[in-house]
Amino acid sequence: MAQILHIDSSPRGDRSFSRKFSHEFLAAWKNAHPDDTVTYRDLGRNPVPHVDESWIAAAFTPPDSRTPELNQAISVSDSLVDEFVAADRYVLGVPMYNLNIPSTLKAYIDQIVRVGKTFVVSPEGAYQGLVTGKKMLIVTARGGSFTPGSPTAAWDFQEPYLRAIFGFLGITDIDFIHVENLSGGDAARADSLANTEEAIAHKIASW
C-alpha cells in the first residue's frame, strides 16, 4: 500500500486541464490500486504563505532555541514538510505560466526545501537530498509545444526546473505528461487531449 500526495496548482476549476488530468490519473490509479491512500492539496485555491523574514529566522534557528513567535512562523512549513516526506509517490498538476510554474507552486516548494529536513549539506559543501526512493508524476498544461529539438524547446523552464528542484531533494524518478498545444486550434487541441488520455492509460500500467 502506497501513500500518494496529490497536488494541484492551477487556480482554474473545470477549465483547468492540469487539474482535469491529474484527477483522471488518480481516479484510474485508485481503481487499479484501491488500497493506496491519497492526500490532496489544492494550492491553486488554497495557497500557502510565501517565505518571509520570520520564516528565515526560524528555519536557521535550532528548534530548542526558537521563541514562540519563531515556532509559529515555521509551523506551516513543518506541517508541509512532514506531509511531503510521508508520501511514497507524488502526482502534480502544473499549468505553464510564462514559461515556468505558477507562483502558488513556487511558494509551496520554498516551504518544503529545508536544510536538515529535506536536504543536508556535508562539511565539504556537497548537497544531499533526503527524500529518496520516491516516484513522481507531473501533468503539465501548456498553450504551445516545447518538444526537445524544436525552436521553442529552450523556452521551457518548467520541466527543467521541476526536475532540478525535486532532484535536489532526492527525487529522481520523475515522469511528465505534457498536455500541449492547447492554444493551437481545435484540431491541435483534440490531438493533444487524445494523446494525453493514451499517455495516462500507459502510465497506469507502468507506474
Side-chain angles (χ1 to χ4, degrees):
M1 183 177 74
Q3 172 65 39
I4 300 172
L5 177 58
H6 176 197
I7 298 174
D8 275 325
S9 55
S10 173
R12 303 172 84 189
D14 294 340
R15 296 184 302 138
S16 167
F17 287 101
S18 64
R19 187 182 291 272
K20 165 183 166 60
F21 286 113
S22 73
H23 283 259
E24 185 172 310
F25 175 87
L26 259 303
W29 181 265
K30 280 287 289 177
N31 186 58
H33 304 272
D35 291 334
D36 287 359
T37 58
V38 178
T39 299
Y40 181 58
R41 183 164 292 279
D42 189 341
L43 300 175
R45 293 175 172 175
N46 300 288
V48 300
H50 288 279
V51 165
D52 59 16
E53 185 173 2
S54 296
W55 187 102
I56 295 169
F60 291 95
T61 299
D64 57 0
S65 299
R66 291 178 189 150
T67 63
E69 291 77 16
L70 290 182
N71 282 326
Q72 180 63 31
I74 204 71
S75 61
V76 169
S77 176
D78 285 342
S79 296
L80 293 174
V81 167
D82 290 345
E83 178 183 82
F84 187 80
V85 171
D88 305 300
R89 297 178 180 226
Y90 310 89
V91 176
L92 276 62
V94 186
M96 176 180 273
Y97 283 4
N98 300 316
L99 310 179
N100 208 310
I101 64 174
S103 63
T104 52
L105 180 55
K106 181 59 168 64
Y108 172 84
I109 289 170
D110 289 343
Q111 291 282 357
I112 64 167
V113 178
R114 292 269 305 276
V115 65
K117 285 188 170 288
T118 51
F119 76 97
V120 292
V121 186
S122 74
E124 296 75 30
Y127 295 97
Q128 179 181 350
L130 299 177
V131 191
T132 58
K134 318 276 190 173
K135 290 183 177 234
M136 180 175 285
L137 173 66
I138 301 176
V139 180
T140 75
R142 303 165 161 200
S145 178
F146 302 87
T147 305
S150 70
T152 55
W155 292 354
D156 180 4
F157 297 96
Q158 184 188 46
E159 178 175 340
Y161 171 70
L162 291 171
R163 284 194 182 279
I165 194 61
F166 288 117
F168 180 79
L169 300 184
I171 304 171
T172 56
D173 189 346
I174 304 176
D175 292 315
F176 281 81
I177 295 177
H178 295 304
V179 190
E180 295 195 312
N181 281 324
L182 295 173
S183 299
D186 292 344
R189 175 179 289 199
D191 285 344
S192 178
L193 299 184
N195 289 338
T196 300
E197 297 283 1
E198 184 178 340
I200 286 176
H202 174 75
K203 189 53 60 183
I204 291 295
S206 62
W207 200 53

